[in-house]
Amino acid sequence: MVDDRIALVTGASQGIGLQIAKDLVAQGLTVLVGARDLAKGQAAAAQISERAHAIQLDVTDQASIAAAATRIRAEFGRLDILMNNAGISRAKPNQDFGEAIKTNLLTDAPLDAVRAVFETNVFGVIAVTQAMLPLLREAPAGRIVLTGSSGASLTLNSDPANPHRAMFGNYSVSKTASHAVMLAFALALEGTRIKVNAACPGFTRTALNNFNGTRSLEEGAREPVRLALIGDDGPNGTFSDENGPVPW
């Protein structure tokens, strides 16, 4: 089976992004493996198939984003699917996870750490989506999917019975904001052929949580991939996991 759609997955050199890329290729799509480090992206693409192509993309670097959009237009002419997957849970990539947890709560988080997390998880989503919109408008039916998090749900975290709300801090707040960004794009694009949704992968084992997650990458990629492949009768402006809607 070969599908002529072109998909870009940000943060695809590892974790859920890599699994999403694998699953989309398995569906016959051509997938652009977005990675800050091109060598890592190339290594990831090589392990997927010849239908996977590495593309240098740092969602915090406007020049990198613009170059990626230019390359996609030159080589493919359009973009059918944008998977806004790139995200960080702590400001410094090599920061000890335990130390990062200590400064996660906004009562303790250094402001520069908050800005760094928002730069990737919020502003990066806006910047990449804006840059790719002209390419998505060229597609017969564009799809934008954000990898969201139920841990960022205001409804769930406002419930005193939720034991996980004690961790509602820098990362979760940034993901709450990214959900709002997703909805803003969905509302702005109502009436077009582009649909925008957010998918919660669940507590998946990735570097984001120091591999403490309880779900496999295959399980985590399931809902993002489903939303990427929805038809014209599919939803717009929703937040869900594989069991259905997730409260905002």
Side-chain angles (χ1 to χ4, degrees):
M1 177 184 67
V2 175
D3 188 317
D4 67 356
R5 283 178 288 182
I6 311 297
L8 168 63
V9 185
T10 67
S13 63
Q14 62 180 348
I16 294 173
L18 177 56
Q19 188 62 48
I20 290 171
K22 289 179 178 178
D23 291 351
L24 291 175
V25 166
Q27 292 293 322
L29 281 71
T30 295
V31 177
L32 307 179
V33 178
R36 285 181 300 177
D37 184 326
L38 182 58
K40 290 182 179 179
Q42 290 170 332
Q47 70 171 275
I48 300 174
S49 91
E50 67 279 355
R51 295 185 69 84
H53 308 272
I55 186 165
Q56 198 282 325
L57 179 55
D58 181 343
V59 304
T60 68
D61 183 337
Q62 197 64 46
S64 170
I65 296 169
T70 297
R71 178 184 166 189
I72 294 169
R73 181 169 293 282
E75 294 187 20
F76 301 99
R78 73 175 195 279
L79 186 64
D80 298 273
I81 298 168
L82 169 61
M83 305 294 293
N84 279 313
N85 171 75
I88 60 173
S89 60
R90 47 198 186 272
K92 300 175 183 177
N94 298 320
Q95 185 180 19
D96 177 78
F97 188 69
E99 289 301 312
I101 290 295
K102 292 177 184 177
T103 57
N104 176 56
L105 297 182
L106 293 189
T107 49
D108 304 306
L111 199 53
D112 60 346
V114 176
R115 287 194 175 104
V117 171
F118 267 68
E119 196 65 46
T120 294
N121 296 357
V122 182
F123 300 120
V125 173
I126 298 172
V128 172
T129 303
Q130 287 182 343
M132 300 302 162
L133 264 178
L135 292 161
L136 287 157
R137 293 184 190 278
E138 298 290 339
R143 302 289 180 260
I144 302 171
V145 181
L146 168 77
T147 302
S149 172
S150 61
S153 165
L154 295 178
T155 300
L156 295 177
N157 282 288
S158 62
D159 181 358
N162 178 7
H164 302 295
R165 73 183 197 149
M167 290 300 299
F168 192 76
N170 188 10
Y171 170 73
S172 298
V173 170
S174 76
K175 295 303 286 187
T176 304
S178 73
H179 296 165
V181 166
M182 178 282 298
L183 185 58
F185 275 110
L187 298 179
L189 293 167
E190 277 185 327
T192 74
R193 297 172 306 206
I194 300 173
K195 294 181 181 294
V196 191
N197 294 283
C200 175
F203 192 35
T204 304
R205 288 187 294 275
T206 69
L208 205 69
N209 54 47
N210 212 34
F211 302 99
N212 289 313
T214 56
R215 286 167 57 83
S216 69
L217 293 176
E218 291 79 6
E219 290 171 324
R222 201 172 287 158
E223 184 65 4
V225 169
R226 184 189 74 82
L227 288 172
L229 300 176
I230 56 173
D232 292 340
D233 59 346
N236 182 56
T238 66
F239 179 30
S240 61
D241 61 18
E242 59 199 85
N243 296 313
V246 176
W248 294 102

Coordinates of all heavy atoms in Angstrom, one line a residue, residues 82-169:
L82 N 0.9 17.7 9.6 CA 1.9 18.2 10.5 C 1.7 17.7 11.8 O 0.6 17.9 12.4 CB 1.8 19.8 10.5 CG 2.6 20.5 11.6 CD1 4.1 20.2 11.4 CD2 2.4 22.0 11.6
M83 N 2.7 16.9 12.4 CA 2.6 16.4 13.7 C 3.5 17.2 14.6 O 4.7 17.1 14.6 CB 3.1 14.9 13.7 CG 2.4 14.0 12.7 SD 0.6 13.7 13.1 CE 0.7 12.8 14.6
N84 N 2.8 18.1 15.4 CA 3.6 18.9 16.3 C 3.9 18.1 17.6 O 3.1 18.1 18.6 CB 2.7 20.2 16.7 CG 2.8 21.3 15.7 OD1 3.9 21.6 15.2 ND2 1.7 21.8 15.3
N85 N 5.0 17.4 17.5 CA 5.3 16.4 18.6 C 6.4 16.9 19.5 O 6.5 16.5 20.6 CB 5.6 15.1 18.0 CG 6.2 14.1 19.0 OD1 5.5 13.5 19.8 ND2 7.5 13.9 18.9
A86 N 7.3 17.7 19.0 CA 8.5 18.1 19.7 C 8.1 18.7 21.1 O 7.2 19.6 21.1 CB 9.4 19.1 18.9
G87 N 8.8 18.3 22.1 CA 8.5 18.9 23.4 C 9.6 18.6 24.4 O 10.3 17.6 24.2
I88 N 9.7 19.4 25.4 CA 10.7 19.1 26.5 C 10.1 19.3 27.8 O 9.1 20.0 28.0 CB 11.9 20.1 26.4 CG1 11.5 21.6 26.5 CG2 12.7 19.9 25.1 CD1 12.6 22.6 26.6
S89 N 10.6 18.6 28.8 CA 10.0 18.6 30.2 C 10.9 19.4 31.1 O 10.5 19.8 32.2 CB 9.8 17.2 30.7 OG 11.1 16.5 30.8
R90 N 12.2 19.7 30.7 CA 13.1 20.5 31.5 C 13.9 21.4 30.6 O 14.2 21.0 29.5 CB 13.9 19.6 32.4 CG 14.6 18.4 31.7 CD 15.0 17.4 32.7 NE 15.7 16.2 32.2 CZ 15.1 15.1 31.7 NH1 13.8 15.0 31.7 NH2 15.9 14.1 31.3
A91 N 14.4 22.4 31.2 CA 15.1 23.5 30.4 C 16.4 23.0 29.8 O 16.8 23.3 28.7 CB 15.3 24.7 31.2
K92 N 17.2 22.2 30.5 CA 18.5 21.7 30.1 C 18.4 20.2 29.8 O 18.0 19.4 30.6 CB 19.5 22.0 31.2 CG 19.6 23.4 31.6 CD 20.6 23.6 32.8 CE 20.7 25.1 33.2 NZ 21.5 25.3 34.4
P93 N 18.7 19.9 28.5 CA 18.6 18.5 28.1 C 19.4 17.5 29.0 O 18.9 16.4 29.2 CB 19.2 18.5 26.7 CG 19.1 19.9 26.2 CD 19.3 20.7 27.5
N94 N 20.5 17.9 29.5 CA 21.3 17.0 30.3 C 21.1 17.1 31.8 O 21.8 16.6 32.6 CB 22.8 17.2 30.0 CG 23.1 16.9 28.6 OD1 22.6 15.9 28.0 ND2 24.0 17.7 28.0
Q95 N 20.1 17.9 32.2 CA 19.8 18.1 33.6 C 19.3 16.9 34.2 O 18.4 16.2 33.6 CB 18.7 19.2 33.8 CG 18.5 19.6 35.2 CD 17.4 20.7 35.3 OE1 16.7 21.0 34.4 NE2 17.4 21.4 36.4
D96 N 19.8 16.5 35.4 CA 19.3 15.4 36.1 C 17.8 15.5 36.3 O 17.3 16.5 36.7 CB 20.0 15.3 37.5 CG 19.5 14.1 38.3 OD1 19.9 13.0 38.1 OD2 18.7 14.4 39.3
F97 N 17.1 14.4 36.1 CA 15.6 14.4 36.1 C 15.1 14.7 37.6 O 14.2 15.5 37.7 CB 15.1 13.0 35.7 CG 13.6 13.0 35.6 CD1 12.9 13.7 34.5 CD2 12.8 12.3 36.5 CE1 11.6 13.7 34.4 CE2 11.4 12.3 36.4 CZ 10.8 12.9 35.3
G98 N 15.8 14.2 38.6 CA 15.5 14.5 39.9 C 15.6 16.0 40.3 O 14.7 16.6 40.9
E99 N 16.7 16.6 39.8 CA 16.9 18.0 40.0 C 15.8 18.8 39.2 O 15.3 19.9 39.7 CB 18.3 18.4 39.5 CG 19.4 17.9 40.4 CD 19.2 18.4 41.8 OE1 19.0 19.6 42.0 OE2 19.3 17.6 42.8
A100 N 15.4 18.4 38.0 CA 14.4 19.1 37.3 C 13.1 19.0 38.0 O 12.3 20.0 38.0 CB 14.3 18.4 35.9
I101 N 12.8 17.9 38.6 CA 11.5 17.8 39.3 C 11.4 18.8 40.5 O 10.4 19.4 40.8 CB 11.3 16.3 39.9 CG1 11.1 15.4 38.7 CG2 10.2 16.3 40.9 CD1 9.8 15.6 38.0
K102 N 12.6 19.0 41.1 CA 12.6 19.9 42.3 C 12.3 21.3 41.9 O 11.8 22.1 42.7 CB 14.0 19.9 42.9 CG 14.4 18.6 43.6 CD 15.8 18.6 44.2 CE 16.2 17.3 44.8 NZ 17.6 17.3 45.3
T103 N 12.6 21.7 40.7 CA 12.3 23.1 40.2 C 11.1 23.1 39.2 O 11.0 24.1 38.4 CB 13.5 23.7 39.6 OG1 14.0 22.9 38.5 CG2 14.6 23.8 40.6
N104 N 10.3 22.1 39.2 CA 9.2 22.0 38.3 C 8.0 23.0 38.8 O 7.4 23.6 37.9 CB 8.6 20.6 38.2 CG 7.4 20.5 37.3 OD1 7.4 20.9 36.2 ND2 6.3 19.9 37.9
L105 N 7.7 23.0 40.1 CA 6.6 23.8 40.5 C 6.9 25.3 40.3 O 8.1 25.7 40.5 CB 6.4 23.6 42.0 CG 6.0 22.1 42.4 CD1 5.7 22.0 43.9 CD2 4.7 21.7 41.6
L106 N 5.9 26.0 39.9 CA 6.1 27.4 39.6 C 6.6 28.3 40.8 O 7.1 29.4 40.7 CB 4.9 28.0 39.0 CG 4.5 27.5 37.6 CD1 3.4 28.3 37.0 CD2 5.7 27.5 36.7
T107 N 6.4 27.7 42.0 CA 6.9 28.4 43.2 C 8.4 28.4 43.3 O 9.0 29.2 43.9 CB 6.4 27.7 44.5 OG1 6.6 26.3 44.4 CG2 4.9 28.0 44.7
D108 N 9.0 27.4 42.6 CA 10.5 27.2 42.6 C 11.2 27.4 41.3 O 12.4 27.5 41.2 CB 10.8 25.9 43.2 CG 10.2 25.6 44.5 OD1 10.4 26.5 45.4 OD2 9.5 24.6 44.7
A109 N 10.4 27.3 40.2 CA 11.0 27.2 38.8 C 11.7 28.6 38.5 O 11.1 29.6 38.5 CB 10.0 26.9 37.8
P110 N 13.0 28.5 38.1 CA 13.7 29.8 37.6 C 12.9 30.3 36.4 O 12.5 29.5 35.5 CB 15.1 29.3 37.3 CG 15.3 28.0 38.1 CD 13.9 27.4 38.1
L111 N 12.8 31.5 36.3 CA 12.1 32.1 35.1 C 12.7 31.7 33.8 O 12.0 31.5 32.8 CB 11.9 33.6 35.3 CG 10.8 34.3 34.5 CD1 9.5 33.6 34.7 CD2 10.8 35.8 34.8
D112 N 14.0 31.7 33.8 CA 14.6 31.3 32.5 C 14.3 29.8 32.1 O 14.2 29.5 30.9 CB 16.1 31.5 32.5 CG 16.9 30.7 33.6 OD1 16.2 30.2 34.5 OD2 18.1 30.6 33.5
A113 N 14.1 29.0 33.1 CA 13.7 27.6 32.8 C 12.3 27.5 32.3 O 12.0 26.8 31.4 CB 13.8 26.7 34.1
V114 N 11.4 28.4 32.9 CA 10.0 28.4 32.4 C 10.0 28.9 30.9 O 9.3 28.4 30.1 CB 9.2 29.4 33.3 CG1 7.8 29.5 32.7 CG2 9.1 28.9 34.7
R115 N 10.8 30.0 30.7 CA 10.8 30.5 29.3 C 11.4 29.4 28.3 O 10.9 29.3 27.2 CB 11.7 31.7 29.2 CG 11.1 33.0 29.9 CD 11.9 34.2 29.5 NE 11.2 35.4 30.0 CZ 11.6 36.1 31.1 NH1 12.7 35.7 31.7 NH2 11.0 37.2 31.5
A116 N 12.4 28.7 28.7 CA 12.9 27.7 27.8 C 11.9 26.6 27.5 O 11.8 26.2 26.3 CB 14.2 27.0 28.5
V117 N 11.2 26.1 28.5 CA 10.2 25.1 28.2 C 9.1 25.6 27.3 O 8.6 25.0 26.4 CB 9.6 24.5 29.6 CG1 8.4 23.6 29.3 CG2 10.7 23.8 30.3
F118 N 8.6 26.9 27.6 CA 7.6 27.5 26.8 C 8.1 27.7 25.3 O 7.3 27.6 24.4 CB 7.1 28.8 27.4 CG 5.9 28.6 28.3 CD1 6.0 27.9 29.5 CD2 4.7 29.1 27.9 CE1 4.9 27.8 30.3 CE2 3.6 29.0 28.8 CZ 3.7 28.3 30.0
E119 N 9.4 28.0 25.2 CA 9.9 28.3 23.9 C 9.7 27.1 22.9 O 9.4 27.2 21.8 CB 11.4 28.6 24.0 CG 12.0 29.3 22.7 CD 11.4 30.6 22.5 OE1 11.3 31.5 23.4 OE2 11.0 30.9 21.3
T120 N 9.9 25.9 23.5 CA 9.7 24.7 22.7 C 8.2 24.3 22.6 O 7.7 24.0 21.5 CB 10.5 23.5 23.2 OG1 11.9 23.8 23.1 CG2 10.2 22.2 22.5
N121 N 7.6 24.2 23.8 CA 6.3 23.5 23.9 C 5.1 24.4 23.4 O 4.1 23.9 23.1 CB 6.0 23.1 25.3 CG 7.0 22.0 25.7 OD1 7.8 21.5 25.0 ND2 6.9 21.6 27.0
V122 N 5.3 25.7 23.4 CA 4.3 26.7 23.1 C 4.6 27.5 21.8 O 4.0 27.4 20.8 CB 3.9 27.6 24.2 CG1 2.8 28.5 23.9 CG2 3.6 26.8 25.5
F123 N 5.7 28.3 22.0 CA 6.1 29.2 20.8 C 6.6 28.3 19.6 O 6.3 28.7 18.5 CB 7.1 30.2 21.3 CG 6.6 31.1 22.4 CD1 7.3 31.1 23.6 CD2 5.5 31.9 22.2 CE1 6.8 31.9 24.7 CE2 5.0 32.7 23.3 CZ 5.7 32.7 24.5
G124 N 7.2 27.2 19.9 CA 7.6 26.4 18.8 C 6.5 25.8 18.0 O 6.5 25.7 16.8
V125 N 5.4 25.4 18.7 CA 4.2 25.0 18.0 C 3.6 26.0 17.1 O 3.2 25.8 16.0 CB 3.1 24.5 19.0 CG1 1.8 24.1 18.3 CG2 3.7 23.3 19.8
I126 N 3.5 27.3 17.6 CA 3.0 28.4 16.9 C 3.9 28.6 15.6 O 3.4 28.8 14.5 CB 2.9 29.6 17.7 CG1 1.9 29.4 18.9 CG2 2.4 30.8 16.9 CD1 1.9 30.6 19.9
A127 N 5.2 28.7 15.9 CA 6.1 29.1 14.8 C 6.1 28.0 13.7 O 6.0 28.4 12.5 CB 7.5 29.2 15.3
V128 N 6.1 26.8 14.0 CA 6.2 25.7 13.0 C 4.8 25.7 12.3 O 4.8 25.6 11.0 CB 6.5 24.3 13.6 CG1 6.3 23.2 12.6 CG2 7.9 24.3 14.2
T129 N 3.7 25.8 13.0 CA 2.4 25.7 12.3 C 2.2 26.9 11.4 O 1.7 26.7 10.3 CB 1.3 25.7 13.4 OG1 1.5 24.6 14.3 CG2 -0.1 25.6 12.7
Q130 N 2.6 28.1 11.8 CA 2.5 29.2 10.9 C 3.3 29.0 9.6 O 2.8 29.3 8.5 CB 2.9 30.5 11.6 CG 1.9 31.0 12.7 CD 2.4 32.3 13.3 OE1 3.6 32.7 13.3 NE2 1.5 33.0 14.0
A131 N 4.5 28.5 9.8 CA 5.4 28.3 8.7 C 4.9 27.3 7.7 O 5.1 27.4 6.5 CB 6.8 28.0 9.1
M132 N 4.3 26.2 8.2 CA 3.8 25.1 7.4 C 2.4 25.3 6.8 O 2.0 24.6 5.9 CB 3.9 23.8 8.2 CG 5.3 23.5 8.7 SD 6.5 23.3 7.3 CE 8.0 23.5 8.3
L133 N 1.7 26.3 7.3 CA 0.3 26.5 6.9 C 0.2 26.7 5.3 O -0.7 26.1 4.7 CB -0.4 27.7 7.6 CG -1.2 27.3 8.8 CD1 -1.8 28.6 9.5 CD2 -2.3 26.4 8.4
P134 N 1.1 27.5 4.7 CA 0.9 27.6 3.3 C 1.1 26.3 2.5 O 0.4 26.1 1.5 CB 2.1 28.6 2.9 CG 2.3 29.4 4.1 CD 2.1 28.4 5.3
L135 N 1.9 25.4 3.1 CA 2.1 24.1 2.5 C 0.9 23.2 2.7 O 0.4 22.4 1.9 CB 3.3 23.4 3.0 CG 4.7 24.1 2.6 CD1 5.8 23.6 3.5 CD2 5.0 23.7 1.2
L136 N 0.3 23.3 3.9 CA -0.9 22.5 4.3 C -2.1 23.0 3.5 O -3.0 22.2 3.1 CB -1.2 22.7 5.8 CG -0.2 21.9 6.7 CD1 -0.3 22.5 8.1 CD2 -0.6 20.4 6.8
R137 N -2.1 24.3 3.1 CA -3.2 24.8 2.3 C -3.2 24.2 0.9 O -4.2 24.2 0.2 CB -3.2 26.3 2.3 CG -3.5 27.0 3.6 CD -3.6 28.5 3.5 NE -3.6 29.2 4.7 CZ -4.7 29.4 5.4 NH1 -5.9 28.9 5.0 NH2 -4.7 30.1 6.6
E138 N -2.0 23.7 0.5 CA -1.9 23.1 -0.9 C -2.4 21.7 -0.9 O -2.6 21.1 -2.0 CB -0.4 23.1 -1.3 CG 0.3 24.5 -1.4 CD -0.3 25.3 -2.6 OE1 -0.8 24.7 -3.5 OE2 -0.1 26.5 -2.6
A139 N -2.6 21.1 0.3 CA -3.0 19.7 0.3 C -4.5 19.6 0.1 O -5.3 20.5 0.5 CB -2.7 19.1 1.7
P140 N -5.0 18.5 -0.4 CA -6.4 18.3 -0.5 C -7.2 18.3 0.8 O -8.3 18.7 0.9 CB -6.5 16.9 -1.2 CG -5.2 16.7 -1.9 CD -4.2 17.4 -1.0
A141 N -6.5 17.8 1.8 CA -7.1 17.8 3.2 C -6.0 17.8 4.2 O -5.5 16.7 4.6 CB -8.0 16.6 3.3
G142 N -5.6 19.0 4.7 CA -4.5 19.1 5.7 C -4.9 18.6 7.1 O -6.1 18.8 7.5
R143 N -4.0 18.1 7.8 CA -4.2 17.7 9.1 C -3.0 18.2 10.0 O -1.9 18.0 9.7 CB -4.3 16.1 9.2 CG -5.3 15.5 8.4 CD -6.7 15.8 8.9 NE -7.8 15.2 8.1 CZ -8.5 15.8 7.2 NH1 -8.3 17.2 7.0 NH2 -9.4 15.2 6.5
I144 N -3.4 18.7 11.2 CA -2.4 19.2 12.2 C -2.8 18.5 13.5 O -3.9 18.5 13.9 CB -2.5 20.7 12.4 CG1 -2.2 21.4 11.0 CG2 -1.4 21.1 13.4 CD1 -2.4 22.9 11.1
V145 N -1.8 17.8 14.1 CA -2.0 17.1 15.3 C -0.9 17.6 16.4 O 0.3 17.6 16.0 CB -1.9 15.6 15.2 CG1 -2.2 14.9 16.5 CG2 -2.9 15.1 14.1
L146 N -1.4 17.9 17.5 CA -0.5 18.2 18.6 C -0.4 17.0 19.6 O -1.5 16.5 20.0 CB -1.0 19.4 19.4 CG -0.4 19.8 20.7 CD1 1.0 20.4 20.5 CD2 -1.3 20.6 21.6
T147 N 0.8 16.7 20.0 CA 0.9 15.7 21.1 C 0.7 16.4 22.4 O 1.5 17.2 22.9 CB 2.3 15.0 21.1 OG1 2.5 14.4 19.8 CG2 2.4 14.0 22.1
G148 N -0.5 16.2 23.0 CA -0.9 16.9 24.2 C -0.6 16.0 25.4 O 0.1 15.0 25.4
S149 N -1.3 16.4 26.5 CA -1.1 15.6 27.8 C -2.3 15.8 28.7 O -2.6 16.9 29.0 CB 0.2 16.1 28.5 OG 0.3 15.5 29.8
S150 N -2.8 14.7 29.2 CA -3.9 14.8 30.1 C -3.4 15.4 31.5 O -4.2 15.9 32.2 CB -4.5 13.4 30.4 OG -3.6 12.5 30.9
G151 N -2.1 15.3 31.7 CA -1.5 15.9 32.9 C -1.6 17.4 32.9 O -1.3 18.1 33.9
A152 N -2.0 18.0 31.7 CA -2.1 19.4 31.6 C -3.6 19.9 31.6 O -3.9 21.0 31.5 CB -1.5 19.9 30.3
S153 N -4.5 18.9 31.9 CA -5.9 19.2 31.9 C -6.2 20.1 33.2 O -6.0 19.6 34.3 CB -6.7 17.9 31.9 OG -8.0 18.2 32.3
L154 N -6.8 21.2 33.0 CA -7.2 22.1 34.1 C -8.4 21.4 34.9 O -8.4 21.5 36.1 CB -7.7 23.4 33.6 CG -6.6 24.3 32.9 CD1 -7.2 25.6 32.4 CD2 -5.4 24.6 33.9
T155 N -9.2 20.7 34.1 CA -10.4 20.0 34.8 C -9.9 18.9 35.7 O -10.3 18.9 36.9 CB -11.3 19.4 33.7 OG1 -11.8 20.5 32.9 CG2 -12.5 18.7 34.4
L156 N -9.0 18.1 35.2 CA -8.5 17.0 36.0 C -7.6 17.5 37.2 O -7.7 16.9 38.3 CB -7.7 16.0 35.1 CG -8.5 15.3 34.0 CD1 -7.5 14.4 33.2 CD2 -9.6 14.5 34.6
N157 N -6.8 18.5 37.0 CA -5.9 19.0 38.0 C -6.6 19.8 39.0 O -6.1 20.0 40.1 CB -4.7 19.7 37.4 CG -3.7 18.8 36.8 OD1 -3.0 18.1 37.6 ND2 -3.6 18.7 35.5
S158 N -7.8 20.3 38.7 CA -8.6 21.1 39.7 C -9.4 20.1 40.7 O -10.0 20.6 41.6 CB -9.5 22.1 39.1 OG -10.5 21.4 38.3
D159 N -9.3 18.8 40.4 CA -10.0 17.9 41.2 C -9.1 17.5 42.4 O -8.1 16.9 42.2 CB -10.4 16.6 40.4 CG -11.1 15.6 41.2 OD1 -11.3 15.8 42.4 OD2 -11.5 14.5 40.6
P160 N -9.5 17.8 43.7 CA -8.7 17.4 44.8 C -8.4 15.9 44.9 O -7.4 15.5 45.6 CB -9.5 17.9 46.0 CG -10.4 18.9 45.4 CD -10.7 18.5 44.0
A161 N -9.2 15.1 44.3 CA -9.0 13.6 44.4 C -7.9 13.1 43.4 O -7.6 12.0 43.5 CB -10.3 12.9 44.1
N162 N -7.4 14.0 42.6 CA -6.4 13.6 41.6 C -5.0 13.7 42.3 O -4.5 14.8 42.5 CB -6.5 14.5 40.4 CG -5.4 14.2 39.4 OD1 -4.7 13.2 39.5 ND2 -5.3 15.0 38.3
P163 N -4.4 12.6 42.6 CA -3.1 12.6 43.2 C -1.9 13.2 42.4 O -0.9 13.6 42.9 CB -2.8 11.1 43.6 CG -3.5 10.4 42.5 CD -4.8 11.2 42.2
H164 N -2.2 13.2 41.1 CA -1.1 13.6 40.1 C -1.0 15.1 40.1 O 0.0 15.7 39.5 CB -1.3 13.0 38.7 CG -1.4 11.5 38.7 ND1 -0.3 10.8 39.0 CD2 -2.4 10.7 38.4 CE1 -0.6 9.5 38.9 NE2 -1.9 9.4 38.6
R165 N -2.0 15.8 40.6 CA -2.0 17.3 40.5 C -0.9 17.9 41.3 O -0.6 19.1 41.0 CB -3.3 17.9 40.9 CG -3.7 17.9 42.3 CD -5.1 18.4 42.5 NE -5.3 18.8 43.9 CZ -6.1 19.8 44.2 NH1 -6.7 20.5 43.3 NH2 -6.3 20.1 45.5
A166 N -0.3 17.2 42.2 CA 0.9 17.7 42.9 C 2.1 18.0 42.0 O 3.0 18.8 42.4 CB 1.3 16.7 44.0
M167 N 2.0 17.4 40.8 CA 3.1 17.7 39.8 C 2.8 18.7 38.8 O 3.5 18.9 37.8 CB 3.4 16.3 39.1 CG 4.1 15.3 40.0 SD 5.7 15.9 40.6 CE 6.6 16.2 39.1
F168 N 1.6 19.4 39.0 CA 1.2 20.4 38.0 C 2.1 21.7 38.1 O 1.9 22.5 39.0 CB -0.2 20.8 38.2 CG -0.8 21.6 37.1 CD1 -1.2 21.0 35.9 CD2 -1.0 23.0 37.2 CE1 -1.8 21.8 34.9 CE2 -1.6 23.8 36.2 CZ -2.0 23.1 35.0
G169 N 3.1 21.7 37.2 CA 4.1 22.8 37.3 C 4.5 23.2 35.9 O 3.7 23.3 35.0

